[in-house]
Amino acid sequence: MSTVENTRVPRWLRILLPAVLIVVWLALAGVGGPYFGRVSEVSSNDQSSYLPASADATKVADLQSKFSGTSAVPAIVVYQRSSGLTKDDLASILDDSKKIADLPGVHGDVSPPVSSKDGKAAEVFVPFVDDSNLDAHVAGLRTHLDSSTPNGVNSYITGPAGFTADLVAAFGGIDGILLAVALAAVFVILVIVYRSPLLPVLVLATSMFALCVALLVVWWLAKWGVVQLNGQVQGILFILVIGAATDYSLLYVSRYREALRDEGSRWRATWTAIRGAFGPIVASAGTVIVGLLCLLFSDLNSNKALGPVAAIGIVFAFLAAMTLLPSLLLAFGRAAFWPVRPKLGSEHPQVVGPHAHGLWARVAGWIRRAPRVIWIVCTIALLAGATGLLQLKAQGVPQSDLILGHSDARDGQNVLADHFAGGSGSPAMVVGPESQLQSMADLLLDHSGVSSVTVVAKDSSSGTAPVTKNGIQPLGPPGTPTPAPTVVDGDVMLQATLTHPADSDAAESAVRSLRADLTRLHDGILVGGVTAVAIDSNDASIHDRNTIIPIVLVVILLILMLLLRAILAPVLLVLSVMVSFAASLGVSAYVFDGIFHFPGADPAVPLYGFVFLVALGIDYNIFLMTRVREESQLHGTREGILRGLAVTGGVITSAGLVLASTFAALGVIPILFLAQIAFIVAFGVLVDTLIVRSLLVPAVSYDIGRAIWWPSKLWRRGER
């Protein structure tokens, strides 16, 4: 084969091909790089946009603009003086509310201040235009309030616009801090592993070029409406591409370094390395891609959006590792490994036997001596960690708890709840037939979770009019005409102010109860609003979790069967990853509850953790078992297991440390969901790398022997 390659591939082509590949990647990355600063143009962090079109909350959100004639997002400005607002305070706030109407982004009428019953607080409703600059508009209002709020009075911006602005600000570190932390962690690990200053730079360049091109493609797909992008998906895309591209690069580098010991020609060494690495890497990337695409079965748009976006990232991670990195290493040759260069003709390290040395040779020796003890102890330890699942609280968290650290909107909501009805400014929206208007209002008013009801009215200066048991009430002095409700396709919209904060458990219980009661009144009545969005999101997440996890398991099991051409080995691998996932999630539950004191978790957290840990955790088993199968064909199954473990031990451990570090970097973004995913995946990858792949799988496979390849030809072949 080497002779054929020398004679059939002209020298000019051996120089031109890698040069062209490097130039193409450099050009694409140069185009894609600037898009890091433009993600906000195609990204949305509006929680209702995550919902499926079939959800009641989505339907109500779509109808809301028809009733109000605008798609404004409301903000609530809350003013508070602990000793009570004075007349001068209220006069100043009233005057300022007129000035707020002229601020950039304000879209519609700003309400006059509404005082609380205790006289200590006032609220002003400010409608903002719903566009990509919402956070900038809210920041402008914040700057205005800093100078216009009376001395001694505290002001806060809360409501849907306030929380959205806080979320955007929390995600603001994704482009800079997240990438810097992830790349720094990976660089340090690679320098320690390779003891080379140049090779880590080549590997990181490969990862960053893959990310730049992936972002370029995703940005335009989001621009055309093909995929949906938000801060959550963006952060995971960045980490996933860097981690996966680095993992694939490490496997290729390992094969290339081996080939340089046997081949004097860099070209032949490159092709030898590509042939050896291509199978495991394409199988690994394919498994992750298929696992991610299973998210398309999701009901929740945020889950459905992640699948194709992350799959695109994995595609470019694979392409970069198999085209750009080989080209770079071909250009640098042995110099890439300086100062520890692999020498031509040098012996490969002894991995098993009496002359073997090093950590992985010792681990192989332990497994040879006591395989059953090792896999039983590992299994018991993992099952012990899984007991934490009993206290995992993944039924959703209030919107106000999504942001870790300071949140002006959360502080404002707490003040609002102290002085007004808890759901003030974030009412439940009820859409139903005009003929049922009074019946719907009566039902709402009789519910203990509702403090007041208004109807969207076309003749009201405030856009709404109060509704009592006696019907719609006029706003203004005696003689003011009663406003008529706005009617859209025969329906009216009522706004029910809840007695509890819109993101509280009590509010969710009230909305579920109202939905059941209103459906009995008329089955076409819809209930939306902030609380309904949270309910529909959580319900969809639970449905997705129960649907997608079995699909991912079946799909990955089938892929492993095709790859290993066996049944028993893939079943054992999937079972090992499931036990590993259960242990990782259980330990995480203990940590979240006992150390970080998190309020709970989104129902999507176990699903995301499962998809990443199963898809990525199976990667290491693929890297291991494909090499074990290769060695087993030459040396027999038990010897092949020990050789495969010893040969791949260093590279897979390095890959696991890199991936764990990159996912841990998500923790720098102060979002509860990302912090939890960061810990679960980072911890789970370490468990997969250091326990499952290093001890559990090799030990149980060694104990079973060649039967793990049942029913393939390798199973029927005797041990050597």
Side-chain angles (χ1 to χ4, degrees):
M1 184 67 185
S2 298
T3 304
V4 172
E5 288 168 358
N6 275 338
T7 56
R8 291 188 178 180
V9 181
R11 180 178 174 81
W12 65 267
L13 184 57
R14 282 183 268 164
I15 297 174
L16 181 63
L17 180 59
V20 168
L21 288 172
I22 293 172
V23 170
V24 168
W25 275 102
L26 184 61
L28 290 174
V31 175
Y35 281 81
F36 280 99
R38 299 180 57 187
V39 175
S40 61
E41 298 176 19
V42 294
S43 178
S44 171
N45 291 298
D46 179 9
Q47 191 177 8
S48 63
S49 66
Y50 293 10
L51 290 170
S54 59
D56 282 4
T58 306
K59 295 176 182 178
V60 173
D62 293 339
L63 289 169
Q64 194 169 347
S65 61
K66 296 181 180 180
F67 279 98
S68 63
T70 177
S71 58
V73 180
I76 307 171
V77 180
V78 187
Y79 300 87
Q80 179 201 36
R81 186 189 287 274
S82 56
S83 60
L85 294 172
T86 66
K87 291 182 179 179
D88 289 341
D89 291 337
L90 292 173
S92 176
I93 293 170
L94 175 61
D95 182 61
D96 195 43
S97 67
K98 299 173 183 177
K99 297 177 182 177
I100 289 174
D102 296 326
L103 293 177
V106 176
H107 187 64
D109 296 327
V110 176
S111 76
V114 178
S115 297
S116 61
K117 291 181 179 179
D118 61 11
K120 296 181 178 181
E123 59 181 359
V124 173
F125 297 92
V126 182
F128 280 108
V129 63
D130 187 9
D131 62 16
S132 60
N133 294 318
L134 178 60
D135 59 315
H137 300 326
V138 173
L141 175 58
R142 173 78 280 167
T143 301
H144 173 82
L145 292 173
D146 288 342
S147 60
S148 65
T149 302
N151 291 332
V153 175
N154 297 317
S155 61
Y156 309 86
I157 303 174
T158 187
F163 278 111
T164 298
D166 282 359
L167 278 173
V168 172
F171 280 119
I174 282 183
D175 287 348
I177 298 175
L178 177 61
L179 281 177
V181 171
L183 293 174
V186 172
F187 182 78
V188 170
I189 292 172
L190 293 180
V191 169
I192 294 173
V193 169
Y194 289 117
R195 291 170 290 171
S196 167
L198 178 58
L199 191 58
V201 173
L202 299 180
V203 171
L204 284 181
T206 300
S207 301
M208 280 303 299
F209 279 28
L211 179 57
C212 288
V213 180
L215 183 61
L216 175 65
V217 173
V218 167
W219 193 95
W220 281 104
L221 290 177
K223 181 75 171 178
W224 297 329
V226 178
V227 299
Q228 188 178 32
L229 196 60
N230 55 57
Q232 178 177 296
V233 172
Q234 179 189 349
I236 292 173
L237 171 68
F238 287 6
I239 290 302
L240 197 59
V241 173
I242 292 173
T246 304
D247 274 8
Y248 303 153
S249 297
L250 290 175
L251 190 63
Y252 176 81
V253 168
S254 174
R255 290 281 189 166
Y256 185 63
R257 184 162 53 180
E258 285 184 32
L260 286 175
R261 296 179 185 275
D262 302 324
E263 301 286 356
S265 165
R266 285 184 286 177
W267 177 262
R268 290 199 301 270
T270 297
W271 279 104
T272 299
I274 289 176
R275 285 196 302 270
F278 183 81
I281 292 177
V282 75
S284 170
T287 302
V288 177
I289 289 169
V290 171
L292 290 168
L293 290 180
C294 287
L295 290 172
L296 290 173
F297 291 100
S298 171
D299 274 351
L300 205 59
N301 284 341
S302 56
N303 292 347
K304 192 176 293 185
L306 177 64
V309 169
I312 289 169
I314 295 296
V315 167
F316 285 105
F318 166 76
L319 291 175
M322 295 309 299
T323 60
L324 175 59
L325 183 64
S327 299
L328 291 171
L329 290 179
L330 178 62
F332 284 93
R334 289 176 171 80
F337 296 90
W338 181 86
V340 188
R341 305 185 188 190
K343 296 179 181 179
L344 177 63
S346 60
E347 292 186 7
H348 293 270
Q350 292 291 321
V351 293
V352 295
H355 302 294
H357 62 276
L359 172 63
W360 295 105
R362 289 197 296 272
V363 173
W366 299 338
I367 291 173
R368 187 196 297 272
R369 290 190 293 271
R372 189 166 300 174
V373 172
I374 290 174
W375 73 257
I376 289 176
V377 169
C378 289
T379 302
I380 291 173
L382 292 174
L383 291 177
T387 57
L389 289 172
L390 299 175
Q391 68 178 58
L392 180 67
K393 297 178 290 185
Q395 288 78 40
V397 294
Q399 183 184 26
S400 56
D401 287 327
L402 293 178
I403 300 170
L404 302 175
H406 173 72
S407 168
D408 188 58
R410 179 172 58 232
D411 294 343
Q413 179 173 283
N414 292 335
V415 173
L416 200 66
D418 288 340
H419 302 286
F420 295 89
S424 179
S426 301
M429 308 289 188
V430 180
V431 178
E434 181 186 11
S435 59
Q436 299 288 334
L437 190 157
Q438 192 60 49
S439 298
M440 291 188 296
D442 290 344
L443 189 153
L444 293 169
L445 290 167
D446 287 338
H447 197 283
S448 60
V450 176
S451 65
S452 63
V453 177
T454 61
V455 63
V456 177
K458 57 186 176 183
D459 299 324
S460 172
S461 59
S462 64
T464 61
V467 184
T468 67
K469 293 282 189 176
N470 297 320
I472 301 175
Q473 303 298 306
L475 286 173
T480 302
T482 301
T486 300
V487 181
V488 176
D489 297 330
D491 289 334
V492 294
M493 175 178 281
L494 298 175
Q495 298 182 353
T497 299
L498 304 176
T499 55
H500 298 282
D503 62 354
S504 65
D505 291 340
E508 290 192 11
S509 177
V511 169
R512 288 187 186 275
S513 172
L514 288 172
R515 278 181 165 175
D517 294 344
L518 289 166
T519 299
R520 285 191 290 270
L521 181 65
H522 189 282
D523 60 8
I525 297 175
L526 302 173
V527 180
V530 172
T531 308
V533 167
I535 290 172
D536 290 346
S537 296
N538 290 341
D539 289 350
S541 290
I542 293 170
H543 167 271
D544 291 349
R545 185 177 67 200
N546 296 338
T547 301
I548 294 173
I549 286 178
I551 293 175
V552 172
L553 284 175
V554 170
V555 168
I556 289 180
L557 180 61
L558 293 175
I559 291 174
L560 288 175
M561 287 179 178
L562 292 173
L563 177 66
L564 299 177
R565 302 167 208 170
I567 293 177
L568 183 56
V571 169
L572 290 174
L573 293 181
V574 169
L575 287 175
S576 71
V577 172
M578 288 176 61
V579 174
S580 172
F581 168 70
S584 302
L585 202 58
V587 172
S588 297
Y590 283 129
V591 172
F592 296 162
D593 208 28
I595 298 177
F596 295 133
H597 304 294
F598 287 153
D602 189 276
V605 166
L607 173 61
Y608 276 45
F610 178 84
V611 170
F612 291 134
L613 282 181
V614 171
L616 297 171
I618 213 73
D619 272 6
Y620 303 125
N621 284 327
I622 288 175
F623 293 163
L624 170 66
M625 293 306 288
T626 51
R627 187 60 181 254
V628 165
R629 193 175 190 281
E630 182 182 322
E631 297 288 344
S632 296
Q633 290 174 327
L634 300 174
H635 305 284
T637 296
R638 284 195 166 94
E639 188 71 10
I641 290 168
L642 300 181
R643 286 179 173 272
L645 170 63
V647 170
T648 62
V651 64
I652 295 179
T653 301
S654 302
L657 291 174
V658 165
L659 192 63
S661 299
T662 53
F663 264 94
L666 277 175
V668 303
I669 305 300
I671 300 294
L672 177 64
F673 179 90
L674 292 181
Q676 291 175 327
I677 290 295
F679 185 87
I680 291 171
V681 178
F683 181 78
V685 166
L686 292 177
V687 170
D688 277 330
T689 305
L690 302 177
I691 298 177
V692 176
R693 185 272 315 173
S694 301
L695 298 172
L696 177 59
V697 169
V700 73
S701 300
Y702 191 92
D703 197 16
I704 294 172
R706 62 188 175 93
I708 63 168
W709 305 117
W710 180 85
S712 68
K713 292 181 180 179
L714 198 54
W715 163 64
R716 293 190 290 272
R717 184 185 301 175
E719 290 287 354
R720 300 186 178 186

